Amino acid sequence: MAAGQSAVEARGISKVFPGGVKALDDVSVTIRENEFFTLLGPSGCGKTTLLRLIAGFEFPSAGEILLHGLDIAHLPPDRRPVNTVFQHYALFPHMTVAENVGFGLRMQGRPKGEIDRAVDQALALVKMADYGARRPSQLSGGQQQRVAFARAIAPRPQVLLLDEPLSALDLKLRQAMRGELKTLQRETGITFIFVTHDQEEALTMSDRIAVMSAGKIQQIGAPLDIYESPVNHFVADFIGDSNFIEGAIDTIKGDAAVVKTPDGIAIAARMNGPHKAGDRIAVALRPEKILLGAGKLKGEVREAVYLGTSTSYVIALGRAVTLSVREANDLSGKARFAVGDTVKLDIPAGAARMLAD
Amino acid sequence: MRQPVGHYPGLRLWTALFFFFLYAPMVVLVAYSFNVNKLAMIWGGFSTRWYVKLFTTGGIGEAAMNSLLVAVIATCFAVAIAIAAALVLVREAGFRGAGLSNALISMPLIVPEIVTAVATLMFFVMLKNWIGFDLGLGNIIIAHCVFCIPFAFMPIRARLQDMDLALEQAARDLYADAWKAFRFVTLPLLMPGVVAGAMLAFVISLDDFIITQMISGPGTTTLPVYIYSMIRNGITPEVNAASTILIAVSTALVTVYWYVSRPKKT
Amino acid sequence: MLRSTTSNWFGVAPAWLVIGIFGLLPMFIMLAISFMVQDPYGGVEWGFSTEAYVQFLFERDLDDSLILNTIYVNIVARSIGLAAMTTILCLIIGLPVAYFIARQPEDKRNLYMLLITIPFWTNLLIRTYAWILILTRNGVVDARLQWFGFEPGTFDLLYTNTAIFIGLVYSYLPFMVLPLYASLEKMDFRLIEAASDLYASKWQAARHVIIPLARPGIVAGSLLVFIPSIGAFIAPELLGGGKRMMLGSLIYFQFATARNWPFGAAVSILLMAFVMIALLVYARAAKGQGLPAGGH
């Protein structure tokens, strides 16, 4: 199957749990073949539920789940060619590493020779070839993670589901594993659906990200699109830091507009959706995109916090607007401004973006 | 000397006295079972003659066999029933009958033994008089099964509660159907709980006196009932010997169970 | 997760069948029998009668008038009194022990628990019988006293209330220590440090920190001691000589000797009522403490 075709397609999926909790509300999403696709959102947003619906651990209240065009929404997990890497690995403690990795093929009734070969291959792929005879309890967290991964890819699933697989590792290991996971995805050519609440993980590994909140998908796009062009308040706030400025559209020129705040500060912003002059809207503005030291706007430094590579300022513009601004430190490492200073600042065209809500 | 926070004087001594209180009577009993003297109370020297006499008297062999038979069969049934019930009651969150089922299973733990004993007696007498239902030793096995179920159930339930649901989901995810997931993942992981439950049920059945005493008749005497009749006939050294054997069996079983069920260090 | 409601019932059906038919049903039959009339041959006659309950308080005179009879009331009083005293003494003995064990390193803790568990699972009949050897005239203690020139029989407690009391405490002490230990073992001992840091003396820390935290164990342990004590049969039978009856021995007597089923059933129902009251008290005390509502 060629890249770009759909691997998994969810159509109008809703999931209501007994007790009335609505975890997913009419979610539709298409995940392409050979893609590293991430479901990103805070806990309780429904991302794990969506993953479990694809795996078959839960069944949707409404909607269909297509795997290469076939509806699998009501098949039990053992009849779906998808495998899961569990959050806490869920390695079988009473089996060796090799037995764990071979379990899926054994359950499929494959011949022993084939199982052994596949186990060796999968363990080699995750650089755990020498650990086949060990028990999971004799492995470190990172090693268990690799075994869990090997176990899930050994049966060559069409889609691999990863449920926050890195969350139990410490920071250094987590960062190292990101690169490895990405490489493994490329080498195996399997479609990955990755669930995380960690935006850095999502931005560094994914081909595309679906940002979820309150049982709905808020935005789907490449990491760059998500970061640079958030569609709404939630996405702009959840991914990275943003200043939110409210005002009314003053003038529109093509894709660019000027937004005026109630006390008359004018900000250039990119359009987002069909708005007309006079509409009350909000714009999002990343702290690192604001330039200090020159420009038409003037503000007073209220706070200056040293962050090592950069300094974070809180700057008041007039009475109603305070902006958070981040500026890289220069060679001396010192911040350029101190609390109480009056600074000029500039918001370059294209830095600010209107929000849909 | 200042004692660290949370230390209270005399606790060690108190605990030592506690264990003395707990074990002294059993030690006395065991010691007297090896007393050569016919008058049980006066020490005359070491001997195993009462054990020999015990086994040559007859009756006790049959009672021991009955005890063993009842305990083994009641345990097997109780464990199977407990596993089936625990799988539903721990795993099926939305099961409507869960509260009532849990209460029913723990009922034999709450009702005083003597009440269970006489209620069961009346029930079996009525069954016999009305429909001729009398299984002899089978009656005792049934009664034991009832009170063995909660003892088998508790460790199995505890084990199941501690078990990560994700393990079974992983098995299903890796192409195991419901039966294979149970056979290859759930059951092996449940095994320590099953062994623990079986041993508890077995010891409880072996030790039961009051219920068995009530419903047993000629030919269905178990070991504790036999010992009781010996005590009623007067305190003899043979009673001490028989008691010592039962203490040894219980102690051995509990100790083995302890080592089996202890969390293993890796 | 993947099973239907019907198959859930299949899972619990064997338990329902066995316990329902041979555990619960006999209890209801017993309740019915307690309202029937004694058959002189040992069975029961059909018909409704409260005679068995009346018999508990009154005797029938020749002219059928009722005379107050305090024998059974005394037995009830003895049962409740001994069970309550047993519970309290077990608590006094058990709490320091449980605390001491909970503070030991893990290896020792496990060993201590094994040592408490062994008597717990050892035959109650035998454990009680062992006390005959100790308490009787010419027994272990009396014989030692004779060495020192005391008269034989100086120490002879057998067949007294004290003997029953000792037997009950001995029988059910592990039932108290195990739940006490379970709740103290979970306790964070830094809380005691925090208390003493906040100026609590040792005894204030015990009073305001340790005992409140041990409360779930105290409540559960008290229940586990009180219920079997009040219905005890072996201790009053062997150590009380069958003369100083408790409710348990009274019930046994009605079936083994007197052959008065309705009265025996009525006493059993009364005993169950006391157990229910104890359970209700437990449920109240357990409320809001995260204790299992059912008991064990």
Side-chain angles (χ1 to χ4, degrees):
Chain A
M1 259 165 273
Q5 259 185 317
S6 99
V8 176
E9 191 180 346
R11 285 189 190 156
I13 292 289
S14 291
K15 175 67 185 175
V16 184
F17 282 106
V21 180
K22 197 162 197 177
L24 290 174
D25 185 5
D26 195 19
V27 167
S28 295
V29 58
T30 301
I31 293 147
R32 298 176 196 137
E33 188 70 21
N34 297 340
E35 181 172 43
F36 195 121
F37 191 88
T38 298
L39 297 168
L40 173 67
S43 61
C45 71
K47 57 187 191 299
T48 299
T49 304
L50 183 54
L51 196 78
R52 292 170 62 82
L53 288 173
I54 299 171
F57 304 141
E58 312 274 357
F59 300 105
S61 312
E64 323 183 275
I65 298 169
L66 306 182
L67 181 72
H68 293 125
L70 296 171
D71 188 2
I72 57 162
H74 295 279
L75 288 181
D78 51 306
R79 298 188 36 208
R80 302 181 185 206
V82 299
N83 290 142
T84 306
V85 179
F86 288 82
Q87 182 167 16
H88 299 289
Y89 320 134
L91 296 176
F92 304 126
H94 58 301
M95 299 180 194
T96 63
V97 165
E99 284 166 350
N100 262 283
V101 175
F103 188 84
L105 294 159
R106 192 169 139 221
M107 291 297 114
Q108 288 178 322
R110 303 284 179 79
K112 197 179 174 302
E114 185 193 334
I115 296 177
D116 291 346
R117 265 196 309 282
V119 168
D120 289 345
Q121 227 171 29
L123 284 176
L125 195 64
V126 296
K127 306 189 187 80
M128 291 288 290
D130 300 333
Y131 293 85
R134 300 252 190 125
R135 296 262 168 178
S137 59
Q138 297 168 306
L139 302 179
S140 71
Q143 290 170 332
Q144 290 184 27
Q145 218 280 312
R146 289 160 190 271
V147 174
F149 186 85
R151 184 178 73 174
I153 55 165
R156 297 250 126 214
Q158 294 175 16
V159 176
L160 189 71
L161 309 173
L162 302 100
D163 184 8
E164 308 216 19
L166 305 182
S167 66
L169 303 177
D170 60 39
L171 183 67
K172 283 272 181 220
L173 198 54
R174 198 155 67 216
Q175 287 170 341
M177 286 301 292
R178 281 181 201 159
E180 284 195 37
L181 265 187
K182 185 73 191 164
T183 312
L184 281 168
Q185 194 256 333
R186 223 175 291 128
E187 282 176 7
T188 56
I190 298 173
T191 307
F192 276 31
I193 305 179
F194 185 89
V195 159
T196 183
H197 64 271
D198 183 328
Q199 46 161 311
E200 222 181 292
E201 246 170 55
L203 294 173
T204 51
M205 291 192 287
S206 317
D207 294 320
R208 286 194 308 152
I209 297 171
V211 182
M212 294 185 68
S213 166
K216 288 184 189 258
I217 292 182
Q218 305 292 326
Q219 185 172 2
I220 300 179
L224 184 79
D225 296 332
I226 299 273
Y227 188 81
E228 295 296 338
S229 310
V231 291
N232 59 24
H233 193 289
F234 176 83
V235 177
D237 197 28
F238 187 73
I239 315 282
D241 300 321
S242 285
N243 293 293
F244 295 101
I245 305 160
E246 289 181 14
I249 299 178
D250 192 51
T251 56
I252 299 179
K253 205 178 279 170
D255 192 33
V258 174
V259 175
K260 268 207 170 132
T261 68
D263 50 354
I265 298 164
I267 292 163
R270 280 176 294 147
M271 291 290 288
N272 174 21
H275 290 293
K276 57 185 193 304
D279 284 358
R280 300 201 51 80
I281 48 92
V283 300
L285 179 56
R286 299 286 184 195
E288 72 276 12
K289 305 225 161 168
I290 301 169
L291 303 175
L292 297 178
K296 283 174 282 184
L297 299 169
K298 207 175 264 182
E300 189 196 326
V301 178
R302 290 278 167 84
E303 281 174 34
V305 178
Y306 175 72
L307 296 175
T309 58
S310 61
T311 302
S312 170
Y313 299 100
V314 174
I315 296 173
L317 272 72
R319 278 169 322 207
V321 181
T322 49
L323 292 178
S324 143
V325 181
R326 194 152 54 231
E327 189 181 62
N329 293 329
D330 63 15
L331 280 176
S332 74
K334 276 186 194 148
R336 288 203 292 156
F337 306 100
V339 174
D341 288 356
T342 300
V343 291
K344 286 182 181 170
L345 44 90
D346 183 36
I347 299 170
R353 180 178 160 85
M354 271 183 218
L355 297 175
D357 53 344
Chain B
M1 197 184 76
R2 297 283 306 153
Q3 282 175 314
V5 167
H7 253 273
Y8 293 85
L11 279 187
R12 185 177 294 276
L13 180 66
W14 188 265
T15 306
L17 288 172
F18 165 82
F19 279 109
F20 178 76
F21 177 63
L22 217 50
Y23 278 90
M26 292 204 277
V27 170
V28 166
L29 183 58
V30 172
Y32 274 119
S33 76
F34 294 105
N35 186 0
V36 73
N37 211 319
K38 166 101 181 138
L39 277 170
M41 303 303 168
I42 297 156
W43 182 255
F46 182 87
S47 157
T48 53
R49 59 186 281 207
W50 306 116
Y51 290 88
V52 176
K53 189 157 179 229
L54 183 66
F55 286 111
T56 50
T57 314
I60 191 161
E62 194 200 345
M65 271 314 294
N66 283 343
S67 267
L68 217 57
L69 204 62
V70 168
V72 168
I73 298 175
T75 299
C76 290
F77 277 106
V79 166
I81 291 169
I83 293 176
L87 281 173
V88 172
L89 294 176
V90 174
R91 287 298 162 82
E92 309 299 320
F95 178 48
R96 279 157 183 268
L100 217 54
S101 302
N102 271 316
L104 186 81
I105 289 172
S106 41
M107 190 195 80
L109 296 174
I110 293 162
V111 179
E113 265 193 288
I114 184 75
V115 176
T116 309
V118 298
T120 312
L121 166 72
M122 288 188 280
F123 187 59
F124 278 139
V125 168
M126 287 177 139
L127 282 183
K128 187 181 177 184
N129 290 347
W130 291 353
I131 58 172
F133 178 95
D134 183 7
L135 301 177
L137 205 58
N139 280 2
I140 296 176
I141 292 172
I142 292 171
H144 279 225
C145 194
V146 170
F147 64 76
C148 282
I149 289 172
F151 286 97
F153 180 71
M154 285 187 296
I156 291 172
R157 177 180 60 184
R159 179 80 193 171
L160 212 49
Q161 278 167 338
D162 287 346
M163 205 189 290
D164 189 357
L165 206 59
L167 290 170
E168 279 155 88
Q169 290 177 349
R172 296 301 307 271
D173 185 58
L174 293 161
Y175 313 106
D177 57 28
W179 164 247
K180 279 180 177 167
F182 178 75
R183 164 79 185 73
F184 292 109
V185 175
T186 315
L187 194 60
L189 291 172
L190 198 57
M191 228 37 216
V194 172
V195 171
M199 297 198 84
L200 293 192
F202 187 79
V203 174
I204 285 289
S205 166
L206 211 57
D207 277 355
D208 177 74
F209 162 64
I210 301 176
I211 295 167
T212 318
Q213 163 78 3
M214 268 290 166
I215 58 177
S216 73
T220 60
T221 304
T222 62
L223 207 48
V225 173
Y226 185 84
I227 290 175
Y228 180 72
S229 69
M230 286 169 82
I231 296 173
R232 299 257 61 179
N233 290 332
I235 298 153
T236 61
E238 289 103 307
V239 180
N240 298 344
S243 303
T244 300
I245 292 171
L246 222 51
I247 291 178
V249 171
S250 295
T251 306
L253 279 175
V254 173
T255 310
V256 167
Y257 158 63
W258 192 264
Y259 279 100
V260 169
S261 69
R262 216 164 49 158
K264 289 190 182 63
K265 283 170 197 158
T266 43
Chain C
M1 173 186 62
L2 301 164
R3 276 178 284 251
S4 68
T5 315
T6 331
S7 65
N8 285 342
W9 282 109
F10 274 115
V12 292
W16 273 90
L17 276 177
V18 173
I19 302 180
I21 295 178
F22 296 99
L24 194 60
L25 183 60
M27 300 294 277
F28 284 111
I29 290 175
M30 185 176 71
L31 180 65
I33 287 178
S34 77
F35 287 104
M36 291 180 189
V37 186
Q38 182 191 1
D39 168 337
Y41 303 104
V44 286
E45 283 172 7
W46 290 106
F48 179 82
S49 161
T50 54
E51 187 64 28
Y53 292 91
V54 173
Q55 193 189 344
F56 202 84
L57 285 175
F58 302 102
E59 245 173 335
R60 270 188 208 283
D61 208 348
L62 289 173
D63 60 357
D64 227 26
S65 63
L66 297 173
I67 307 165
L68 192 67
N69 177 356
T70 54
I71 294 177
Y72 301 129
V73 178
N74 280 339
I75 291 175
V76 172
R78 182 184 292 123
S79 298
I80 294 177
L82 278 173
M85 278 162 57
T86 300
T87 308
I88 292 167
L89 191 63
C90 282
L91 184 59
I92 293 170
I93 296 174
L95 190 60
V97 171
Y99 180 80
F100 176 78
I101 295 173
R103 296 222 46 176
Q104 298 301 305
E106 203 188 331
D107 284 9
K108 275 193 176 173
R109 277 206 315 253
N110 285 333
L111 183 66
Y112 281 126
M113 277 302 107
L114 174 61
L115 286 177
I116 292 178
T117 319
I118 288 173
F120 188 84
W121 294 116
T122 301
N123 195 312
L124 194 59
L125 180 69
I126 289 169
R127 293 176 62 217
T128 310
Y129 161 73
W131 276 97
I132 295 181
L133 303 180
I134 296 172
L135 297 176
T136 186
R137 182 191 174 94
N138 288 324
V140 180
V141 179
D142 199 38
R144 296 299 156 275
L145 287 177
Q146 286 172 33
W147 284 0
F148 295 105
F150 287 91
E151 287 288 308
T154 307
F155 182 91
D156 180 9
L157 286 178
L158 199 59
Y159 308 140
T160 62
N161 279 336
T162 313
I164 300 176
F165 183 44
I166 293 174
L168 289 175
V169 171
Y170 182 72
S171 300
Y172 303 120
L173 194 51
F175 289 61
M176 178 65 87
V177 177
L178 290 175
L180 281 178
Y181 168 77
S183 59
L184 283 173
E185 193 231 301
K186 275 182 285 182
M187 188 173 94
D188 182 354
F189 285 98
R190 282 170 301 189
L191 292 173
I192 303 172
E193 292 174 3
S196 72
D197 182 54
L198 296 164
Y199 315 109
S201 71
K202 270 180 191 302
W203 303 108
Q204 282 174 316
R207 160 88 182 69
H208 295 286
V209 178
I210 299 172
I211 290 176
L213 286 173
R215 227 186 96 132
I218 293 174
V219 173
S222 300
L223 187 80
L224 291 180
V225 172
F226 186 81
I227 288 184
S229 296
I230 195 173
F233 163 70
I234 293 175
E237 190 69 12
L238 292 187
L239 304 177
K243 293 181 207 99
R244 291 164 196 284
M245 281 194 180
M246 289 175 69
L247 280 171
S249 29
L250 179 61
I251 295 169
Y252 182 85
F253 182 75
Q254 296 312 315
F255 287 89
T257 313
R259 302 208 151 263
N260 188 344
W261 280 21
F263 185 58
V267 180
S268 299
I269 296 296
L270 185 77
L271 179 53
M272 279 307 291
F274 288 131
V275 169
M276 289 301 167
I277 292 169
L279 280 172
L280 282 178
V281 171
Y282 169 81
R284 281 205 130 181
K287 229 182 193 176
Q289 288 192 44
L291 290 181
H296 309 268

